[in-house]
Amino acid sequence: MNYYQVKLIKNLSEHKKITLWLAIIWTAIVTYFCLASFNELPQISVDNFDKLGHITFHFGITFLWFLAFRFKFLNENKKALIKAFLFSFFYGITIEICQDQFTATRTGDVMDVVANISGSFLAIIFIILCIKYSRNTAEN
């Protein structure tokens, strides 16, 4: 093996660690924001503003877990996409159940689950477009 091959393998192994930690940290941040009470903060009076937060949170969850599954555990884009979507889907439902059952200031909402799924679908579309773009540039 030459120097550049060793360097490439080392860089790829570092990405594996980083993507997994980013996914874990982002999921922990989302969990905190979904379960903590924010009643003392000033309220933003924009209709369905919280749905934008759910979309953003689950876009990030799906995207980061895709990277983690793709680089750390799998070498297939399709399987990593499916696992990232399913993780986001079941995580979102679990958080809504936890909000309803275990917090006094939050309630579960079916429309939040719809927003979560929307964020996941947007992430999947973004990932597919990035994969197609990278394949097209690699061919040229």
Side-chain angles (χ1 to χ4, degrees):
M1 248 193 243
N2 68 30
Y3 170 78
Y4 294 107
Q5 289 172 325
V6 172
K7 189 92 168 149
L8 176 64
I9 291 169
K10 183 179 177 189
N11 286 340
L12 288 175
S13 68
E14 289 300 316
H15 289 304
K16 290 178 183 181
K17 293 174 188 173
I18 291 170
T19 57
L20 180 61
W21 279 108
L22 285 174
I24 291 169
I25 290 167
W26 182 256
T27 305
I29 290 169
V30 170
T31 302
Y32 172 76
F33 279 111
C34 287
L35 297 177
S37 173
F38 295 103
N39 288 344
E40 297 168 7
L41 294 177
Q43 299 295 317
I44 298 173
S45 62
V46 177
D47 291 338
N48 296 316
F49 182 76
D50 69 317
K51 303 305 181 254
L52 181 61
H54 284 271
I55 290 170
T56 304
F57 284 161
H58 282 267
F59 180 96
I61 285 173
T62 304
F63 181 75
L64 291 171
W65 280 105
F66 165 76
L67 293 177
F69 289 137
R70 172 68 173 83
F71 294 120
K72 182 73 174 165
F73 304 110
L74 305 167
N75 284 326
E76 287 184 44
N77 289 330
K78 186 177 180 180
K79 285 184 180 179
L81 266 175
I82 291 168
K83 287 188 178 207
F85 174 78
L86 290 175
F87 177 84
S88 177
F89 178 76
F90 288 114
Y91 170 80
I93 289 172
T94 302
I95 286 293
E96 292 304 316
I97 292 169
C98 289
Q99 283 180 343
D100 193 56
Q101 298 295 313
F102 303 118
T103 65
T105 59
R106 308 297 293 263
T107 59
D109 184 6
V110 174
M111 293 311 293
D112 287 349
V113 174
V114 172
N116 298 345
I117 293 169
S118 299
S120 293
F121 276 131
L122 287 173
I124 288 172
I125 291 167
F126 177 74
I127 292 165
I128 290 170
L129 290 173
C130 288
I131 291 168
K132 286 185 179 188
Y133 177 77
S134 67
R135 284 184 184 156
N136 287 343
T137 56
E139 291 173 358
N140 294 332

